[in-house]
Amino acid sequence: MFVASFLGMSNSGDNSDFNTISNITIDIAKVLDSVLFQNIGELKSRIEDSISSLNSITINFLVTDRIYNEKVSANFQKLFGLTSLEDCHSSELGKSFREFASTRYWQARSRQPVSIPFKQDRIRLLVHIRRGDRVWVELPDKTLLMHGDELLIVDNSVKYSENNYILSSLSSSLPNKFRKPVSVDVIKEVIEQLFIEYGRSAFSMIVISDGYKRAYQELNYALRSGKIKLSQSEKKQVNLFFQQQQKEIIDFAKSVNAELILGEDSKVKFMKSVHAVVCADFIIKTTGGFTSLNRLLRVQDSPSVFLGTSDLTPQTLEVFLTEARHFRKPYGS
């Protein structure tokens, strides 16, 4: 309920009894995976039929990666008449929801302002480094891969092949969720290109990252529960890895003179991270959809310029730099 209230998606501000209202969570992907609905009305009826009473309740819709499963995606497209999920941004339904969501968000900010260290007279540059649920630890004899609470240990001595070809890297043979996280060095290269184009003083910069706290906790739980086994030497190496990676994010932010919001362990950090995403002019991200909040909630006429670095090529970098050159900061923003 905190997230809904912060985003302006609840009516709790004027309802003293709001905390007594029942909350029900619906996994929308699970519903879409169960039945091939013919129209929105059927989906609405299915959800309502699963709830004993519709009086004084709040329905929270849970969205997970399952939303992109083939059957779920096909059902979604049939209901909304789209060819892909990304087309939501250009549909009339998408435009209507964005207008509603952004209005509610900025109304919430008028009631509950959030202070972030962006300087208004500069281009607001945000870097999002996703780390909390993705880890790739290379040990002498094995590689430890993590995605959320899922863990995979790979024997480094094994050659991996696909279609009878020896793969050049382990990463090529893995599901996307286990792919190697984007390195900070890649992000540094992009930042340096921007500094060459504009000059360092043109930017007010914030780096946000969930850090490694969650991953570290998940790994420790897996070790304690016997889900995985590591030698004492390997445990020491893993501990050192987490320390070094956390320090790398801190050092990177300092090197580019950026403010840092590190961790996801407080409401204040969450609010600052969301608002920084919404207000940013340029966004450089690693993976994940967190920064998509900008497209949903930003109200300025000039859209933000995005660059995803998970599959960065010279061509995609040049496209980003070209869009950046044409960016005009909204007056007074």
Side-chain angles (χ1 to χ4, degrees):
M1 290 313 304
F2 158 71
V3 174
S5 177
F6 172 70
L7 295 178
M9 299 302 172
S10 76
N11 296 316
S12 58
D14 300 318
N15 190 345
S16 60
D17 296 326
F18 190 79
N19 290 331
T20 66
I21 296 176
S22 299
N23 292 285
I24 296 177
T25 299
I26 303 291
D27 185 339
I28 191 63
K30 186 177 181 180
V31 175
L32 290 172
D33 198 23
S34 62
V35 177
L36 186 60
F37 297 99
Q38 298 302 312
N39 53 60
I40 293 292
E42 288 186 6
L43 173 61
K44 179 174 179 288
S45 296
R46 178 66 176 243
I47 293 173
E48 290 177 347
D49 290 345
S50 68
I51 302 171
S52 58
S53 173
L54 294 176
N55 294 324
S56 299
I57 66 167
T58 298
I59 302 176
N60 303 309
F61 288 99
L62 174 68
V63 179
T64 65
D65 287 345
R66 190 175 176 181
I67 197 73
Y68 293 102
N69 288 2
E70 185 175 352
K71 180 180 177 181
V72 175
S73 181
N75 211 352
F76 186 95
Q77 292 164 21
K78 179 178 177 62
L79 291 174
F80 292 96
L82 305 175
T83 57
S84 70
L85 293 177
E86 286 73 15
D87 288 339
C88 288
H89 288 300
S90 59
S91 70
E92 288 304 315
L93 178 65
K95 290 177 182 177
S96 176
F97 179 71
R98 287 200 310 279
E99 182 179 348
F100 163 77
S102 61
T103 298
R104 295 294 291 268
Y105 178 79
W106 288 102
Q107 286 175 347
R109 294 293 65 74
S110 67
R111 296 190 302 269
Q112 183 186 17
V114 176
S115 175
I116 53 174
F118 272 142
K119 296 179 180 178
Q120 297 302 312
D121 60 340
R122 299 185 186 181
I123 298 172
R124 294 168 292 198
L125 171 60
L126 180 124
V127 175
H128 176 221
I129 304 175
R130 180 181 176 183
R131 288 295 186 265
D133 59 354
R134 292 196 175 199
V135 175
W136 180 297
V137 187
E138 296 182 26
L139 301 172
D141 300 322
K142 63 189 66 156
T143 301
L144 175 62
L145 314 175
M146 295 181 62
H147 178 261
D149 60 354
E150 298 181 69
L151 294 101
L152 181 64
I153 296 181
V154 180
D155 188 338
N156 290 345
S157 65
V158 176
K159 295 291 185 181
Y160 295 89
S161 62
E162 189 174 275
N163 299 328
N164 297 322
Y165 290 96
I166 300 298
L167 296 170
S168 59
S169 68
L170 169 61
S171 184
S172 303
S173 66
L174 295 169
N176 282 331
K177 64 183 179 181
F178 283 122
R179 293 294 173 88
K180 194 170 187 176
V182 178
S183 74
V184 170
D185 287 338
V186 171
I187 301 170
K188 282 181 181 178
E189 292 178 11
V190 176
I191 298 299
E192 288 304 321
Q193 286 294 321
L194 281 176
F195 286 168
I196 291 172
E197 291 273 340
Y198 285 89
R200 184 182 295 256
S201 62
F203 296 97
S204 176
M205 187 171 171
I206 296 177
V207 175
I208 62 174
S209 177
D210 40 6
Y212 284 94
K213 184 176 181 179
R214 177 188 171 190
Y216 187 74
Q217 291 173 337
E218 292 288 355
L219 178 59
N220 278 325
Y221 175 77
L223 288 168
R224 292 195 308 271
S225 63
K227 188 175 181 179
I228 62 171
K229 296 184 183 299
L230 295 175
S231 68
Q232 287 301 317
S233 174
E234 289 170 336
K235 290 178 183 178
K236 290 180 180 179
Q237 292 175 65
V238 169
N239 284 333
L240 181 61
F241 165 84
F242 280 114
Q243 293 172 15
Q244 291 174 337
Q245 294 299 305
Q246 195 88 336
K247 183 176 182 297
E248 183 181 48
I249 296 173
I250 296 171
D251 290 345
F252 163 68
K254 289 180 180 178
S255 71
V256 294
N257 194 30
E259 298 288 341
L260 176 63
I261 304 173
L262 179 61
E264 52 183 1
D265 51 355
S266 77
K267 292 180 179 180
V268 171
K269 288 181 180 179
F270 171 79
M271 292 189 294
K272 286 181 176 291
S273 294
V274 169
H275 201 52
V277 166
V278 174
C279 295
D281 299 317
F282 294 178
I283 293 179
I284 299 170
K285 69 168 190 170
T286 52
T287 57
F290 182 64
T291 54
S292 297
L293 286 169
N294 174 278
R295 292 193 174 105
L296 179 65
L297 303 176
R298 183 178 170 91
V299 295
Q300 284 89 347
D301 292 334
S302 298
S304 301
V305 183
F306 278 75
L307 177 67
T309 55
S310 58
D311 294 300
L312 187 65
T313 66
Q315 290 75 23
T316 56
L317 177 57
E318 183 55 36
V319 169
F320 169 73
L321 292 174
T322 300
E323 292 179 352
R325 294 181 193 114
H326 289 94
F327 176 82
R328 293 293 179 269
K329 189 171 179 61
Y331 177 77
S333 67

